[in-house]
Amino acid sequence: MKLLKILPALFFFMLLPPAAQAAPQRIVSLTPVGTEILFALGQGDSLIGVTKYCDYPPEALEKPKVGGYAEVNFETLLSRQADLLVLQDMHMQFKNELEKLKIPYLVVRQESVKDITDSIAALGRICGADEKAAELNARIDAAVERAVKRVSGLKRPAVLLCVSRELSEPQITTFYAAGTKSFYNELISLAGGKNVITDKRQSYPKISQEGMLALAPDVIIDLVGERTFYHAMDNIDLDKVFDKEYLKGQWMSGVKVPAVRGGRVSIIDGTLYLRPGPRLPEIIDAFIAAIHPEIR
């Protein structure tokens, strides 16, 4: 399996040159989160290229594909006459090439809720959709406020959030978890939990079964992604692999941490939970349900 990597950073915006001050009409998005934001801002008609991983909203699947996350075809970008590129932080490795293209670009980053709302606001300004951006951000702000009130005064269980692992193994050996430097650390707190990982050196540390035993989480949340984008070396039965009882059973047959003994393992599937963006309220609600199922 090609392990999924969630890339954090602070929001960055490159100022557009005077010639590009008009709302862009030919936008290429090399980030699924950016694509989702653009559609939410009503800019779908201006999108002339997206990645093969841009699957939301469904209309994004119909857009021309210009590669994957780290695949940038500069000749294609020039030939399409894009007047705005929407990128993510990994694309900064191509900074020199991007500057040679002289195509204005914006980097969408998502280390915090503020990063996301800043991203939405910035794209709204560029595209002349400030009012719609304000509406999206108001919905996110309301969801955060609502979450804080819902979990106020409740005991905060220790939460282990798995963001990537080999799904087809009979038993889990190692996996990658969200650390304190990750975006998910804030979400765990908003949802009424505390991150069981306190090491601040890595955003997504690799954890073994022995490591999990030492961490002793009260709750395990397993983000398994979307079967469409799952890749494995061997031929496997995807119906079996993405069966939630099967996936939960992999944790239950592992080390007997409090979450396993108490059956507090939640399997959450879908790319939504790996791409914090305009649908952030849905992610927060899902985390609250996993951490505090007693709340109705």
Side-chain angles (χ1 to χ4, degrees), residues 165-169 224 227 230 232 236-244 246-248 250 267:
R165 67 180 178 90
E166 176 54 69
L167 302 182
S168 60
E169 291 181 326
V224 298
R227 61 186 289 163
Y230 179 76
I236 59 173
D237 182 350
L238 286 178
D239 289 334
K240 176 183 178 182
V241 167
F242 280 87
D243 179 82
K244 290 189 176 182
Y246 170 79
L247 293 170
K248 183 175 180 178
Q250 293 171 317
I267 308 297

Side-chain angles (χ1 to χ4, degrees), residues 37 40-42 117-125 128-140:
I37 293 173
L41 292 173
T117 55
D118 282 350
S119 302
I120 292 172
L123 271 175
R125 286 195 299 272
D130 296 87
E131 185 174 339
K132 186 61 178 177
E135 291 175 4
L136 293 174
N137 284 341
R139 181 173 179 266
I140 291 173

